Amino acid sequence: MNGAEALIKCLEKEGVEYIFGYSGGNVIPIFDAIYDSKIKLILSRHEQGASHMADGYARACGKPGVVLVTSGPGATNTITGLFTAHMDSVPMIVISGQTITPLLGKDAFQEADIFGISMPCVKHSYLVRQTNDLPRVLKEAFHIAATGRPGPVLIDIPKNISAGPFEGSLDPEMDLPGYKIPGPVPKADILKMADLINRSERPLLLVGHGAVISRAGSVLRQLAEKLQAPVTNTLLGKGAFPETHPLSLGMIGMHGTAYSNMALTRCDLILSIGSRWDDRINGDNAQFCVGAKKLHIDIDPAEINKIVRCDAVCIGDARLALEELLKHVVPLNTKPWLREIAANRRKFPLKYKKQGGLKAQHVIESAWEVTGGKAIVTTDVGQHQMWAAQFFLTDECDTWLSSGGAGTMGFGFPAAIGAQLAKPGSRVIAIVGDGGFQMTLCELSTAAINKLPVKILVIDNKFLGMVRQWQELFFDNRLSGVDLEGNPDFVKLAEAYGVKAFRIRRAADIRKVLAKAMAYNEGPCLIHAEVVKEDNVFPMVPAGRSAHHMIVERPKTKMEKPTGGT
Amino acid sequence: MSTLLTSPNLHTLSVYVNNKPGVLVRVAHVFARRGFNIESLVVSPTADGRYSRMTVTADGDGETLEQIFKQVSKLVDVLHATEHTHQEVVEKELALIKVRVAEAQRTEVLQILAHFKGATVDFTPQSVIVQVTGNTEKIEACVGMLEKYGIIELVRTGKVIMARGETET
């Protein structure tokens, strides 16, 4: 047996079903070992695509996604994928080929110091120098990727290591003396939280990705209902608490619902469950929930007090913490608070005009209606992502897969391929922009040859819409570098790949076309929605400002340039 | 001469890590990303060869350092990280100072050195290399006294610390 064969045996033992990969010289021994394996290789058309596929697979089913690429450019092409997974705490293993050990550091052909290059965007990484170490490294990598706060792990394997003779154990002990996973949640911390909650009149539960990752959905619902506390979610918290639930305020933050942002400014207690108070919901820390008690449950000790100084914290798994918390809280009288929120909801609903051309919001909301919300949705980043977050309500964990922290264009479509493989029985819809889709559309081949019934809904406004919106609102409409003139006819493009395609140009056609597309399951299909070119996402909290500065429609006067990050 | 090493904002972290390639980069990365300059850094093997000890001295506000400390503790290769106050630890560093000394001033320099319990480790007709050990303040003081003769070169090991008594460093 050689190292590569041992590696594949270990991957099989870890229960790996798919490897998302792209071959190349320094990884040939491993591809050779796959030849005899029951693991299915999904050959992407670009390594970035492979890494997003593995990411989508992992987000959809919770198991680490596995990527296999060659050295040099093969490896560097996974950096965006690693970074995306790292920012959103997604378990992923990237195995890269490498030049032979005697040539390491000598600028050999296709040699990249991927161990060094990837360091800031991995949870951990390895450069394997002994063939016999491979099983231990792999076992540790899976353990690290999937436990605690999940994240990506890179394993760089020189060709002579994978091709070398293997004489070790396939079931070695792990050697991770420095790896710590938070244990049971401390009771005293829970009691302190419960005490603050029990004295609150206007509580707000803020649900983030941590709640989704820990599968806290059911206990979260019990907690919210017992407290009669309103629940808002971050972009990645979508699905942890049903957005159709009467207590749900939907998404909060820069493009969240008006009533959730208003609740943020009015609550007397906010409990973050696996959300890291990031700058999309907290543009101005000094003005953030002034006077409110701030509580934080997070599995990562480094997130505690990073941005918001809290009155009570609990380090641990969100589900376990909530199960314990549920025992110690009492039903609250939140009727006046809920009435206030309901009034805001009536006064400032999410809205758009269905007249005046085809609207992205209309297409997306119709997709939600046509499918009854029963779908796994993936997105890219930008306006279509925000409209999808607003209008495609999410009721279940693991059904909203979006690049949140990284904001990666080109994520949605390959992630949908991974998700479809993870959940073959589910309907998977990639809602993508015309900009993002063009970054990874070569994976149309991958979807087509694997006959994956992914629905690709291209929201085509022929602009990089979100940047255009900023330029319109803050930069005197000096449009610079946002015009995607020259977009292809996406229907013809899909057909060139052998992919079924539909077109929507008029509002009247939306439902008819979507129904047809949703019923097509022989393979992937693309829906080209040619929406109005210039439309803006509202509500909007300008970057760097607090929720008090939210606008719900286009202001009549010129706005100040935002101070916060994009 | 730099007075940074005696700044009140100076923090000393002791980090117990796997003795493996790349670990130093991972730790240094956490500091660099938050714009923290490492003032001094000592890495050396421990009694158990599988692990190394890093003593990192960095200057900055306490809140940011708390964050850095947590990020460092989180690294898979870090077994534990501790921040010690001056009272809890023995602190030492060593300095080699090459001083321009003509014959006429040699006695004077040797007297200063005697005061700081230093040693001369190299003599030439024009210069002398002296070795001083002790805490940072003592080294700064010694350097200060020798400055007027002309310091040609100064090499300091950086601070190492060890917790007093039964406490683990």
Side-chain angles (χ1 to χ4, degrees), chain A residues 98-281:
Chain A
Q98 180 57 280
T99 190
I100 56 173
T101 49
L103 289 182
L104 277 175
K106 296 180 183 170
D107 298 329
F109 175 64
Q110 290 194 331
E111 184 204 357
D113 175 15
I114 196 65
F115 180 76
I117 292 170
S118 65
M119 214 169 257
C121 51
V122 294
K123 183 171 174 186
H124 195 53
S125 49
Y126 294 89
L127 169 55
V128 185
R129 287 171 181 275
Q130 303 287 337
T131 302
N132 290 348
D133 285 345
L134 283 166
R136 176 183 56 78
V137 166
L138 203 78
K139 195 172 181 182
E140 291 177 5
F142 272 84
H143 179 64
I144 291 168
T147 55
R149 179 179 182 171
V153 178
L154 174 109
I155 308 174
D156 198 22
I157 308 179
K159 190 178 170 187
N160 58 327
I161 300 301
S162 58
F166 177 79
E167 287 150 356
S169 160
L170 284 174
D171 191 20
E173 291 290 306
M174 292 194 286
D175 179 25
L176 292 172
Y179 184 58
K180 309 158 250 321
I181 306 169
V185 289
K187 183 99 184 260
D189 295 348
I190 292 292
L191 291 178
K192 189 175 174 193
M193 273 193 178
D195 180 53
L196 291 171
I197 292 170
N198 291 341
R199 286 189 276 145
S200 141
E201 290 173 2
R202 298 189 305 278
L204 179 64
L205 306 185
L206 167 64
V207 185
H209 200 202
V212 174
I213 294 169
S214 76
R215 310 294 189 276
S218 152
V219 62
L220 175 62
R221 191 172 172 153
Q222 291 174 57
L223 182 78
E225 286 173 355
K226 183 173 181 184
L227 292 171
Q228 282 300 300
V231 182
T232 182
N233 49 262
T234 65
L235 176 71
L236 291 195
K238 267 172 80 75
F241 186 78
E243 287 187 300
T244 51
H245 192 286
L247 285 169
S248 173
L249 308 184
M251 184 173 71
I252 199 165
M254 188 174 274
H255 294 295
T257 62
Y259 33 97
S260 69
N261 282 321
M262 287 166 168
L264 189 69
T265 65
R266 284 276 300 144
C267 65
D268 69 354
L269 177 140
I270 182 164
L271 167 59
S272 159
I273 304 159
S275 143
R276 53 190 172 81
W277 315 101
D278 94 312
D279 61 321
R280 302 295 88 176
I281 63 166

Side-chain angles (χ1 to χ4, degrees), chain A residues 115 119-120 123-125 144 149 176-180 300-302 304-306 309, chain B residues 18 20-22 25-26 29 51 63 66-67 70-71 73-79:
Chain A
F115 180 76
M119 214 169 257
K123 183 171 174 186
H124 195 53
S125 49
I144 291 168
R149 179 179 182 171
L176 292 172
Y179 184 58
K180 309 158 250 321
D300 181 358
I304 303 293
N305 292 337
K306 183 177 88 175
R309 287 264 149 195
Chain B
N18 284 326
K20 284 182 184 166
V25 185
R26 290 187 209 273
H29 232 288
Y51 309 114
E63 222 165 276
E66 179 192 330
Q67 197 52 41
K70 286 177 181 170
Q71 298 280 6
S73 304
K74 194 168 114 172
L75 295 172
V76 174
D77 279 324
V78 172
L79 279 78

Side-chain angles (χ1 to χ4, degrees), chain A residues 169-461:
Chain A
S169 160
L170 284 174
D171 191 20
E173 291 290 306
M174 292 194 286
D175 179 25
L176 292 172
Y179 184 58
K180 309 158 250 321
I181 306 169
V185 289
K187 183 99 184 260
D189 295 348
I190 292 292
L191 291 178
K192 189 175 174 193
M193 273 193 178
D195 180 53
L196 291 171
I197 292 170
N198 291 341
R199 286 189 276 145
S200 141
E201 290 173 2
R202 298 189 305 278
L204 179 64
L205 306 185
L206 167 64
V207 185
H209 200 202
V212 174
I213 294 169
S214 76
R215 310 294 189 276
S218 152
V219 62
L220 175 62
R221 191 172 172 153
Q222 291 174 57
L223 182 78
E225 286 173 355
K226 183 173 181 184
L227 292 171
Q228 282 300 300
V231 182
T232 182
N233 49 262
T234 65
L235 176 71
L236 291 195
K238 267 172 80 75
F241 186 78
E243 287 187 300
T244 51
H245 192 286
L247 285 169
S248 173
L249 308 184
M251 184 173 71
I252 199 165
M254 188 174 274
H255 294 295
T257 62
Y259 33 97
S260 69
N261 282 321
M262 287 166 168
L264 189 69
T265 65
R266 284 276 300 144
C267 65
D268 69 354
L269 177 140
I270 182 164
L271 167 59
S272 159
I273 304 159
S275 143
R276 53 190 172 81
W277 315 101
D278 94 312
D279 61 321
R280 302 295 88 176
I281 63 166
N282 176 15
D284 180 358
N285 206 25
Q287 299 300 319
F288 184 73
C289 295
V290 179
K293 296 288 178 201
K294 300 172 190 84
L295 281 52
H296 192 184
I297 296 171
D298 206 297
I299 199 161
D300 181 358
E303 290 300 340
I304 303 293
N305 292 337
K306 183 177 88 175
I307 292 173
V308 170
R309 287 264 149 195
C310 287
D311 300 281
V313 301
C314 172
I315 298 171
D317 178 82
R319 183 171 56 79
L320 301 180
L322 293 185
E323 279 168 4
E324 198 56 34
L325 189 62
L326 184 63
K327 295 180 201 160
H328 302 286
V329 294
V330 295
L332 304 175
N333 175 18
T334 57
K335 284 203 183 88
W337 176 224
L338 293 178
R339 267 200 300 274
E340 177 183 327
I341 290 171
N344 287 334
R345 193 195 290 263
R346 278 192 304 274
K347 208 164 160 194
F348 302 104
L350 286 172
K351 60 175 184 200
Y352 60 90
K353 287 201 180 75
K354 288 182 180 168
Q355 300 79 31
L358 184 66
K359 298 294 174 63
Q361 300 95 311
H362 195 181
V363 176
I364 291 166
E365 190 172 41
S366 303
W368 178 67
E369 288 163 1
V370 166
T371 59
K374 295 268 174 259
I376 295 174
V377 172
T378 71
T379 78
D380 282 344
V381 64
Q383 285 186 320
H384 74 279
Q385 177 194 37
M386 292 297 110
W387 283 321
Q390 292 175 340
F391 292 101
F392 204 109
L393 302 185
T394 311
D395 281 348
E396 283 173 46
C397 283
D398 307 330
T399 62
W400 170 261
L401 321 181
S402 186
S403 169
T408 301
M409 290 175 70
F411 171 81
F413 172 45
I417 293 176
Q420 187 72 77
L421 287 162
K423 293 285 172 72
S426 298
R427 176 186 289 126
V428 179
I429 308 174
I431 302 180
V432 295
D434 48 317
F437 182 55
Q438 289 185 77
M439 290 191 174
T440 48
L441 65 73
C442 54
E443 306 305 343
L444 280 169
S445 293
T446 316
I449 54 169
N450 289 288
K451 297 196 167 45
L452 298 172
V454 171
K455 316 317 183 226
I456 310 151
L457 177 55
V458 183
I459 303 295
D460 179 14
N461 61 1

Side-chain angles (χ1 to χ4, degrees), chain A residues 67-91:
Chain A
V67 180
L68 178 64
V69 295
T70 193
S71 62
T76 57
N77 278 343
T78 67
I79 290 293
T80 304
L82 281 166
F83 167 58
T84 305
H86 188 55
M87 286 292 268
D88 290 348
S89 312
V90 178

Side-chain angles (χ1 to χ4, degrees), chain A residues 467-496:
Chain A
V467 179
R468 190 208 53 75
Q469 173 170 344
W470 275 54
Q471 291 176 345
E472 176 193 326
L473 296 179
F474 306 118
F475 291 83
D476 295 321
N477 208 28
R478 288 153 53 91
L479 303 188
S480 177
V482 291
D483 193 343
L484 291 188
E485 197 184 347
N487 270 352
D489 178 332
F490 288 103
V491 169
K492 280 189 187 158
L493 181 90
E495 284 165 358

